[in-house]
Amino acid sequence: MLTGIHATFIGGDARQLEVIKKFIELDASVTLIGFDNLESNFIGATKKELSLDVLQETDALILPIVGTDDEGVVESIFCSKPVQLTDKHFEVMNKNMVIYTGMAKPFLRDHSQAYQLQLVEILDRDDVAIYNSIPTVEGALMMAIQNTDITIHGSTCIVLGLGRVGISMARALHALGAHVRVGARKPEHLARIYEMGLSPFELDDLAEQVDDVDIVYNTIPKMVVTPQIIARMPHHTLIIDLASKPGGVDFRYAEKRGIKALLAPGLPGIVAPKTAGQIIAKTLSRLVSEQMADREGSS
Ligand code: NAP
C-alpha cells in the first residue's frame, strides 16, 4: 500500500492513466498537474496548477516516460498549455522527494544533480525492459506484416543484437516459423543463439548474411546497417530499426537504393498503451513503496 505517500503526476500520455489508477488503488494521495482536459475524473485524485506549495508537499514526483525536454517543459496530451519546470521549482523540492521518469534528458539529470534530488529512470531497468519487449515485438511484427507481401512464416529474418528486445524478437519470429539468423558480438550470445535453435553469426560477418534476407530487425543502438551492408541486400528487403534514435541504419543510403527502412520508436506506447502503462504502474508502485520503507527505516 502507498498510504501516506503524496504522489504528484505532471503530464504524460495514455500510459500515465494506468499508473494514476494503480496509485489511487494503493491509497496514495494523488495530485494531477497538466491534466485539465482529462475527461474521466479519477475519484481520489485532485487536479491542480503547478505551484511551489504542491511540490513542497510531494514525496514522489512522477513525470512522463520522456521526462522533460531540454527547457524543462513536460509534455501532456491532457492539457493545451505546457507545464514547465524551472529552477524555482527545483529549489523548493523536498530533499527526500524522489523524481521518477522513463528516460531523462540532460535538463532533468542536471537539475536533479544540482539540487541534490534523487532521480530514478525506469526504462533501462532489466525488468521493465524485458516486460516492454513484449509490446515492442508485437509492434515490430505488425510493421513487418503491414510492409511486406509475404508471410513471416517461411521468411528469412535477421535480428541484430541479443539484448532484451533481441531475444524476444528472435524467439517470436522462430515461433512463427521464420528462418532466423541472429548477429551478436559476444561468444556467450552466439552460444545462446545456437541453444535457442537459431542461426548465429558474428556481427563482423553481417555483409555475408544479407544477400537473401527478407526482413532485418535491428536492436543495436549503433550504426551497424551501413551502406556496405545495404548494398548487398535484395531490393525487396524490409529493414525495421527498433533501436533508439538515431537508430543503427543508414536511412539515407537505404532510400537511395530503394530499400524500405523504417525507424520504429516508442512501439509499446503506440501498440499497447494500456499494457505499457500497467508495466510502468507495477514497477513505479513497487519503487515508491520501497522508497517509503527506506524512509521509515532511516527515521
Ligand atoms: P539491450 O538489452 O542493452 O541490448 C542491446 C544489444 O545491442 C545487445 O545485444 C548489445 O550487445 C548490442 N550492442 C550495443 N552496442 C553495440 C555495439 N557497439 N556493437 C555491437 N552490438 C552492440 O537493449 P534492449 O533493451 O534490447 O533495447 C535495444 C534498443 O531498442 C535500445 O536502443 C532501446 O532503447 C530500444 N527500444 C526500442 C523500443 C521501440 O519501441 N522501438 C522499445 C524498447 C527498446 P552487447 O551485449 O555485446 O553490448
Side-chain angles (χ1 to χ4, degrees):
M1 297 300 285
L2 297 177
T3 312
I5 279 278
H6 188 168
T8 299
F9 290 79
I10 306 184
D13 55 27
R15 289 173 284 187
Q16 210 68 318
L17 302 183
E18 294 300 318
V19 188
I20 295 167
K21 222 187 282 174
K22 179 90 178 169
F23 272 61
I24 294 173
E25 224 172 82
L26 293 173
D27 197 31
S29 146
V30 173
T31 300
L32 306 179
I33 296 169
F35 287 83
D36 307 17
N37 303 338
L38 179 65
E39 279 176 15
S40 71
N41 261 327
F42 283 107
I43 297 167
T46 319
K47 284 185 195 168
K48 287 193 179 159
E49 294 287 315
L50 178 61
S51 74
L52 303 184
D53 290 349
V54 172
L55 292 173
Q56 272 166 343
E57 290 161 10
T58 297
D59 302 303
L61 180 63
I62 300 173
L63 300 178
I65 284 298
V66 289
T68 67
D69 72 4
D70 293 329
E71 264 80 53
V73 175
V74 184
E75 282 292 323
S76 177
I77 63 161
F78 305 107
C79 187
S80 36
K81 344 177 255 225
V83 180
Q84 186 169 19
L85 288 171
T86 61
D87 283 281
K88 72 173 190 224
H89 298 119
F90 284 92
E91 260 164 33
V92 298
M93 288 176 189
N94 166 357
K95 295 289 172 256
N96 290 322
M97 188 194 81
V98 180
I99 305 175
Y100 296 92
T101 186
M103 196 78 89
K105 293 229 164 83
F107 174 93
L108 189 56
R109 286 206 189 128
D110 296 348
H111 277 72
S112 306
Q113 201 178 7
Y115 291 96
Q116 296 168 343
L117 296 159
Q118 195 188 339
L119 171 67
V120 178
E121 297 177 61
I122 64 160
L123 268 200
D124 207 38
R125 288 171 56 92
D126 257 342
D127 53 353
V128 174
I130 292 168
Y131 286 127
N132 254 338
S133 74
I134 302 167
T136 305
V137 165
E138 289 191 13
L141 292 173
M142 175 191 78
M143 292 180 77
I145 291 165
Q146 285 172 339
N147 288 282
T148 56
D149 53 7
I150 55 169
T151 55
I152 290 173
H153 184 280
S155 66
T156 298
C157 294
I158 289 183
V159 176
L160 297 173
L162 194 76
R164 295 157 303 190
V165 176
I167 291 181
S168 306
M169 191 76 243
R171 189 185 286 129
L173 291 168
H174 182 55
L176 284 171
H179 304 291
V180 187
R181 300 174 192 154
V182 187
R185 59 179 174 180
K186 289 185 178 148
E188 61 270 33
H189 285 176
L190 297 170
R192 179 60 69 196
I193 297 160
Y194 172 79
E195 176 276 328
M196 289 166 76
L198 312 176
S199 307
F201 67 88
E202 299 254 8
L203 270 178
D204 287 346
D205 298 333
L206 177 57
E208 284 89 71
Q209 299 289 328
V210 298
D211 51 9
D212 60 346
V213 67
D214 297 311
I215 311 169
V216 176
Y217 300 86
N218 176 52
T219 75
I220 301 177
K222 288 278 146 45
M223 179 52 66
V224 275
V225 187
T226 58
Q228 291 79 354
I229 306 287
I230 297 169
R232 296 183 65 161
M233 291 177 183
H235 271 105
H236 74 269
T237 303
L238 170 69
I239 307 172
I240 299 179
D241 195 356
L242 297 168
S244 296
K245 279 183 191 163
V249 175
D250 192 317
F251 288 94
R252 181 202 62 83
Y253 186 74
E255 190 179 352
K256 192 170 170 192
R257 250 214 93 207
I259 286 190
K260 197 182 249 187
L262 307 169
L263 185 61
L267 288 173
I270 295 168
V271 299
K274 191 177 173 87
T275 307
Q278 286 165 344
I279 292 167
I280 299 163
K282 188 158 53 173
T283 306
L284 273 185
S285 54
R286 206 184 53 237
L287 290 176
V288 172
S289 127
E290 283 167 13
Q291 170 199 341
M292 190 165 69
D294 282 353
R295 202 167 64 183
E296 277 163 10
S298 60
S299 64

